[in-house]
Amino acid sequence: MFLGVSAEPDVPPSMHTLFIIAAPSGAGKSSLVNALLKREPTLALSVSHTTRPPRPGERYARHYHFVERAEFEKGVSQGTFLEYAEVHGNLYGTSRAMVRAKLGQERDVVLEIDWQGARQIRARQFDCVSVFILPPSWDELNRRLRLRCTDTAAVIDQRLRNAREEIAHANEFDYIIVNDKFELALTELQTIVRAARLRSILQIPRQQALIS
């Protein structure tokens, strides 16, 4: 499994938060993130780069920045990515410039990445809040993956095998949500976001005049 961190300077400190949301394939991460963005329009999603081919209905720059492997690897050598990793045989990475731009717009940023990327972000000592999404059961995860009808049976089997390793890293995250009932899971995710915004480390500088 390939992963890495660029040696280029990090995104500068910000008064806003990076929300890291990770999950095994089929746990409902993307659906929860999309619904969260509708409920919390001030959140900004960082759209990842990937060498994975687009699935039916996916659009460039909305779902992913789809690139060739050679282009991705060139970006790695140039320090383009804040984090990057190989997942299910494809490369995924977060653009440092994109995160910098969104934080510069005074917005909290959502990173929809895997446990490897989350570990890299934490290693950089960012002010981040991490959430891991679990499926309610292995049987349900299997059912959801097969209902998507986007992958071959062999790919689905590989995703299920990889899910075991991914779930083994759930204890590295600040919060864990079980996505059994979607609306409940969404409310729990929104609650985490709202609570994180009220932390004293952020509120004291914002309310300095009043506190002084």
Side-chain angles (χ1 to χ4, degrees):
M1 186 170 289
F2 166 88
L3 61 113
V5 180
S6 170
E8 290 296 313
D10 287 331
V11 174
S14 170
M15 288 299 298
H16 292 266
T17 304
L18 294 177
F19 290 98
I20 297 172
I21 303 178
S25 294
K29 174 183 63 176
S30 295
S31 296
L32 284 170
V33 168
N34 290 335
L36 175 67
L37 293 172
K38 292 180 180 178
R39 284 194 180 186
E40 297 289 337
T42 58
L43 283 173
L45 177 65
S46 175
V47 179
S48 298
H49 288 64
T50 183
T51 59
R52 173 175 73 73
R55 294 173 181 151
E58 288 185 330
R59 287 188 285 175
Y60 181 86
R62 178 178 177 182
H63 298 93
Y64 286 98
H65 294 282
F66 297 100
V67 298
E68 296 295 330
R69 193 177 187 95
E71 182 180 351
F72 191 105
E73 292 175 345
K74 180 179 179 181
V76 170
S77 67
Q78 295 176 339
T80 297
F81 300 111
L82 189 62
E83 58 80 27
Y84 59 94
E86 183 164 1
V87 184
H88 308 306
N90 298 297
L91 295 172
Y92 294 80
T94 299
S95 164
R96 175 181 285 104
M98 182 177 295
V99 172
R100 182 190 295 270
K102 291 184 183 299
L103 290 175
Q105 296 168 358
E106 298 297 304
R107 302 180 71 181
D108 295 321
V109 178
V110 175
L111 303 180
E112 192 179 342
I113 58 181
D114 83 321
W115 68 267
Q116 300 175 82
R119 179 179 285 182
Q120 294 170 50
I121 296 293
R122 285 193 299 269
R124 294 177 179 278
Q125 299 182 333
F126 277 108
D127 178 27
C128 62
V129 175
S130 58
V131 183
F132 196 91
I133 309 297
L134 283 175
S137 68
W138 284 105
D139 286 344
E140 178 61 14
L141 183 65
N142 190 336
R143 187 187 72 85
R144 291 177 183 179
L145 285 172
R146 297 187 190 283
L147 280 178
R148 292 197 310 193
C149 299
T150 57
D151 296 308
T152 66
V155 170
I156 291 172
D157 290 341
Q158 182 63 54
R159 290 185 184 278
L160 287 169
R161 287 193 294 271
N162 290 344
R164 295 190 178 276
E165 179 180 6
E166 293 163 350
I167 290 175
H169 293 275
N171 63 338
E172 299 177 12
F173 289 72
D174 299 317
Y175 299 93
I176 295 175
I177 292 175
V178 177
N179 184 17
D180 185 3
K181 297 182 179 179
F182 183 84
E183 286 300 320
L184 176 59
L186 175 58
T187 297
E188 290 173 340
L189 183 56
Q190 184 181 24
T191 299
I192 291 170
V193 169
R194 292 189 171 184
R197 289 171 166 171
L198 299 178
R199 289 173 298 157
S200 59
I201 192 174
L202 298 178
Q203 286 290 77
I204 289 175
R206 292 168 180 165
Q207 309 299 335
Q208 189 61 53
L210 177 61
I211 294 173
S212 297

Coordinates of all heavy atoms in Angstrom, one line a residue, residues 23 63 110 143 170:
A23 N -14.3 6.4 5.6 CA -15.2 5.2 5.8 C -14.7 4.2 4.8 O -14.1 4.5 3.7 CB -16.6 5.6 5.5
H63 N -17.2 15.5 -8.6 CA -17.0 14.3 -7.8 C -15.5 14.1 -7.5 O -15.1 13.8 -6.4 CB -17.6 13.1 -8.5 CG -19.1 13.2 -8.7 ND1 -19.6 13.7 -9.9 CD2 -20.1 12.9 -7.9 CE1 -21.0 13.7 -9.7 NE2 -21.3 13.2 -8.6
V110 N -14.1 20.4 4.3 CA -14.4 18.9 4.5 C -13.4 18.2 3.5 O -13.4 18.4 2.3 CB -15.8 18.6 4.2 CG1 -16.0 17.0 4.2 CG2 -16.8 19.2 5.1
R143 N -24.3 -5.8 1.0 CA -25.5 -5.5 0.3 C -25.4 -4.2 -0.4 O -25.8 -4.1 -1.6 CB -26.7 -5.6 1.2 CG -28.1 -5.4 0.5 CD -29.2 -5.3 1.5 NE -29.2 -4.0 2.1 CZ -29.8 -2.9 1.6 NH1 -30.4 -3.0 0.4 NH2 -29.7 -1.7 2.2
A170 N -10.4 2.7 12.7 CA -11.4 3.6 13.2 C -11.1 4.2 14.5 O -11.5 5.3 14.8 CB -12.8 2.8 13.3

